[in-house]
Amino acid sequence: MPGPTDHVVVVGAGLSGLACALHLLGAGRRVTLVERDAGPGGRAGRAQLGGYQVDTGPTVLTMPHLADEAFAAVGDSLRRRVELTALHPAYRACFADGSSLDVHTDGEAMEAEVRRFAGPAQAAGYRDLRQWLERLYRAQMRRFIDTNFDSPVQLLHPDLARLAALGGFGRLDGRIGRFLSDDRLRRVFSFQALYAGVAPARALAAYAVIAYMDTVAGVWFPKGGMHALPWAMADAAADAGADLRWGAEVNALERSAGRVRAVRLSSGERVPCDAVVLTCELPAAYHLLGRTPRRPARLRHSPSAVILHAGTDRTWPQLAHHTISFGATWERTFDELTRRGELMSDPSLLITRPTTHDPGLAPPGRHLHYVLAPCPNTTVGPSATTWRDLGPRYRDRLAGELERRGLDGFADSIEEELLVTPLDWTAQGHAAGSPFSVAHTFAQTGPFRPRNLVREVENVVLAGCGTTPGVGVPTVLISGKLAAARVTGGSVPSPARALTPPASAGADDAA
């Protein structure tokens, strides 16, 4: 970034904005962080339902060392600010035939579990798959995920050849099938492609790096819920000298001579600056900039989700902290979500019970359940307004489905609830009614994803899940670091003292 960069205004206090602010502070910049909401979090928000404290965004924390890098930039640490619990198992997978599998991130424990579940041949296949996932991660992370792209030419590197030799440009489902013939196990290591907005049968095998994150690198839970992370980052930024402005909505950027000179707030206040980092949704960022980038094809967005937050008077012992309940169908489910634009006829669901490890998120003797059902986005499926009537009916269908799958009395157990549908995501400004942003198709990945630099405005950088490197908690933390590197004019080093994961670090998305 040419010119002065002494004072940076970061717009948006989601995880990418907070990470960017911490890295900028560590590099000696003065930072003003403006957020339209009453506090930090962005997608990682919080809602109060009576005595229940509900995480409204992500519920899975992986690669905590990436958050610790941001804390370490200002001489702080994640573990000083947040109490983390490693989850064992990371997930419990339940299948339509009544079988279940605990997904362990420890290699020996998982190999033993696969042997119990599907026999010695599949256990040997898992062992080989794990080694492949580790090699795949090493081939991708530094060169293709944790990097700022200026040109596709940057892909021409020996790591690209290594990725190709590992089969990264084949199809995900087929590559996983080379290691595991059991259809249930293949689902456990390929469903993550949905995070990228692509069906496993069509996704590049390189996207298996997401499975590495979930099944090898480890899964943690922050005491107080995921919302504890953005608050801790905000507190660290304030202690390091950041000026945090809550309830401060940006309505204009004051520009002259190809630079933004000030940020104007809806209150009328003018905040002069040398540089700006926009972490808001891409459409909102482009609106502030008064331009939309020209692309050969319209951006495609990931599927959306319906989330039922339920505060209940009971729980069910078969649930782990995170439970994936698979339907019997598989290929048809992805076809419904991404092509036909229909609700899942045989849904696969993520059920999270945060009170497993933090009972304080609910009143005494009560429990909190988060039920996520993927659904089509509003471009290919029902419109946002259709969900006004469709939402309550679908909520009843989900409650009935959960009872059929063994959660007896689920509907009657609910004392407080919050239903979130594409109507709500649209109202929050998420394009195509999807909180998962731009899909990770090949044409929207790495150097082909919307760039974090803005043509014609030399002192504005973008961050967040819509730009480099992509969707998910680890990748938006990286996005903030990469945006800070754009401002400072070089790389933002990973502090040597940053928290080290138990295995090699994982990644949330292939780039």
Side-chain angles (χ1 to χ4, degrees), residues 140 195 204 216 221 340 342 384 438 459 494:
Q140 288 191 71
Y195 300 159
L204 293 178
V216 177
F221 174 71
R340 291 160 56 181
E342 300 173 356
V438 178
N459 66 334
S494 300

Side-chain angles (χ1 to χ4, degrees), residues 144-421:
F144 304 121
I145 298 175
D146 192 4
T147 190
N148 273 315
F149 280 103
D150 292 307
S151 166
V153 174
Q154 287 176 246
L155 292 173
L156 302 179
H157 184 274
D159 283 343
L160 185 69
R162 295 188 186 100
L163 185 58
L166 288 167
F169 298 106
R171 294 301 173 192
L172 174 62
D173 194 51
R175 178 58 59 169
I176 297 296
R178 291 192 177 193
F179 300 99
L180 302 169
S181 60
D182 188 292
D183 181 63
R184 298 165 300 173
L185 291 173
R186 292 169 67 173
R187 293 186 188 191
V188 169
F189 292 95
S190 63
F191 81 91
Q192 297 89 351
L194 186 60
Y195 300 159
V198 186
R202 299 196 303 273
L204 293 178
Y207 290 121
V209 76
I210 317 171
Y212 176 91
M213 170 196 72
D214 277 345
T215 66
V216 177
V219 177
W220 281 262
F221 174 71
K223 185 175 182 180
M226 284 292 291
H227 190 61
L229 176 59
W231 267 115
M233 296 175 77
D235 289 343
D239 289 348
D243 180 9
L244 307 181
R245 311 278 190 92
W246 308 129
E249 185 169 6
V250 176
N251 62 5
L253 303 176
E254 187 179 298
R255 293 167 54 179
S256 68
R259 292 179 71 89
V260 171
R261 306 293 176 173
V263 171
R264 290 195 174 273
L265 306 180
S266 57
S267 64
E269 182 182 359
R270 178 180 182 271
V271 185
C273 59
D274 298 311
V276 177
V277 179
L278 297 176
T279 74
C280 45
E281 298 299 305
L282 284 181
Y286 295 149
H287 175 75
L288 288 171
L289 292 165
R291 63 185 299 276
T292 300
R294 295 183 297 273
R295 292 181 63 90
R298 186 175 65 176
L299 288 172
R300 288 178 52 190
H301 289 79
S302 295
S304 184
V306 172
I307 300 176
L308 174 61
H309 301 278
T312 65
D313 64 8
R314 74 199 76 163
T315 190
W316 294 265
Q318 65 265 41
L319 295 177
H321 189 112
H322 296 296
T323 301
I324 305 169
S325 177
F326 288 103
T329 62
W330 190 237
E331 289 82 4
R332 187 177 76 194
T333 295
F334 284 95
D335 194 52
E336 289 167 340
L337 292 172
T338 62
R339 290 186 169 181
R340 291 160 56 181
E342 300 173 356
L343 299 179
M344 293 181 291
S345 55
D346 184 17
S348 290
L349 308 170
L350 170 64
I351 307 162
T352 294
R353 186 179 59 183
T355 43
T356 302
H357 288 93
D358 190 351
L361 294 172
R366 299 299 188 261
H367 306 272
L368 189 56
H369 298 87
Y370 165 113
V371 182
L372 184 149
C375 70
N377 65 44
T378 57
T379 300
V380 300
S383 67
T385 55
T386 300
W387 279 98
R388 186 171 285 111
D389 296 323
L390 177 58
R393 298 198 307 270
Y394 192 56
R395 175 262 184 216
D396 292 343
R397 284 176 54 185
L398 286 176
E401 187 64 33
L402 290 169
E403 296 200 10
R404 283 190 291 275
R405 297 186 185 188
L407 304 191
D408 299 328
F410 180 82
D412 290 339
S413 75
I414 298 175
E415 297 183 332
E416 299 280 354
E417 69 177 274
L418 173 65
L419 182 71
V420 183
T421 74

Side-chain angles (χ1 to χ4, degrees), residues 59-144:
T59 63
V60 179
L61 177 62
T62 61
M63 296 175 68
H65 70 287
L66 293 174
D68 196 58
E69 284 182 3
F71 284 100
V74 295
D76 210 327
S77 75
L78 172 61
R79 292 204 184 274
R80 189 174 81 83
R81 297 275 183 175
V82 181
E83 182 181 332
L84 296 180
T85 299
L87 298 186
H88 304 294
Y91 294 94
R92 177 165 295 149
C94 298
F95 301 94
D97 64 1
S99 61
S100 65
L101 170 81
D102 280 352
V103 179
H104 299 283
T105 52
D106 175 78
E108 292 185 4
M110 186 59 182
E111 185 177 340
E113 177 69 354
V114 171
R115 183 178 294 107
R116 176 201 67 79
F117 180 78
Q122 298 300 295
Y126 162 75
R127 187 169 57 246
D128 293 341
L129 171 63
R130 185 183 178 95
Q131 293 173 359
W132 178 74
L133 290 172
E134 290 172 342
R135 293 197 300 271
L136 190 74
Y137 162 76
R138 289 194 294 269
Q140 288 191 71
M141 186 62 180
R142 188 177 186 88
R143 182 62 51 182
F144 304 121

